[in-house]
Amino acid sequence: MGIERITPPVPLRTERLVLRPVVPDDTTAIGAYCADPEVTRYLPFPALDADGLAKRMERLVAATAPVEVGDFLGLAVEHEGVLVGDLMLRFSAAHDEDQPPSIAELGWVFAPEYGGRGFATEAAGALVDLAFTTYPLHRLMAQLDPRNTASARLCERIGMTQEGHTREDYPDRDGGWSDTAVFGLLRREWEGRR
């Protein structure tokens, strides 16, 4: 007997956005911003070349119904029919191996030309709600390079609290080490804000 696979209720519409599964036709749009070294500067992957983009797209397109630790949900974010970014919800831990995952990690990347309009906040907030209403999660978290102040502010806007800062725990692309800031949101905190 395995863990039940739950298909999330997408597409999901917010006031200005549509969150939907990533499809192969999104390759050009995702490739445009993921090839930009400024966009990927604080991400766990470098600016993508054609091979890197093909691998990322394969993973994103397949990420539709996570069920166990390591699985993730990938969502494209559209505004007025234009893809402006993508989101990720990755199951990162389970309280018991026979139970569904209880902790998940959020991630996001957006095209810079759509920055400053609140799209990332609106989309990430919708993903938080989707995560807690769809899955039996206890906690959501985000891990980011502390120099990524825009993502740190986004975490705070969606109700997350900075819980830690670990020093030089992640290899950077220059052969050195980067720090990690950890943000978290517990189910009871999310419920209290609703």
Side-chain angles (χ1 to χ4, degrees):
M1 180 170 139
I3 298 169
E4 178 187 350
R5 184 172 297 275
I6 299 170
T7 302
V10 291
L12 176 67
R13 297 179 193 290
T14 67
E15 184 179 337
R16 301 177 296 163
L17 305 172
V18 175
L19 280 60
R20 59 157 178 82
V22 177
V23 296
D25 285 350
D26 296 328
T27 301
T28 300
I30 291 175
Y33 58 79
C34 285
D36 183 340
E38 278 303 303
V39 171
T40 63
R41 182 170 62 183
Y42 299 122
L43 296 179
F45 57 84
L48 297 179
D49 60 14
D51 272 354
L53 177 61
K55 289 175 187 168
R56 178 166 165 76
M57 288 303 299
E58 183 178 344
R59 292 184 66 224
L60 285 172
V61 168
T64 59
V67 69
E68 59 189 33
V69 172
D71 289 352
F72 74 100
L73 173 65
L75 295 174
V77 179
E78 281 187 1
H79 171 66
E80 298 179 349
V82 177
L83 192 142
V84 298
D86 63 86
L87 302 167
M88 176 270 308
L89 175 73
R90 183 177 61 85
F91 290 157
S92 57
H95 190 268
D96 183 313
E97 66 182 42
D98 295 328
Q99 298 296 316
S102 50
I103 299 174
E105 182 177 356
L106 303 173
W108 46 78
V109 57
F110 282 80
E113 60 268 29
Y114 296 99
R117 300 187 202 178
F119 293 157
T121 301
E122 187 174 330
L127 182 59
V128 166
D129 292 343
L130 175 79
F132 279 128
T133 57
T134 305
Y135 303 104
L137 297 171
H138 170 68
R139 164 187 166 77
L140 289 174
M141 61 183 290
Q143 299 182 84
L144 50 107
D145 188 312
R147 296 171 295 181
N148 187 349
T149 56
S151 281
R153 287 191 307 270
L154 173 55
C155 287
E156 292 167 354
R157 284 193 302 271
I158 63 174
M160 301 182 102
T161 300
Q162 185 168 352
E163 300 173 332
H165 181 125
T166 54
R167 298 176 303 141
E168 298 184 12
D169 68 329
Y170 194 82
D172 68 22
R173 292 188 200 113
D174 299 324
W177 292 91
S178 296
D179 293 359
T180 300
V182 178
F183 289 80
L185 178 63
L186 302 176
R187 175 179 287 279
R188 68 176 173 268
E189 294 169 332
W190 170 77
E191 290 171 343
R193 291 187 175 109
R194 292 192 79 196

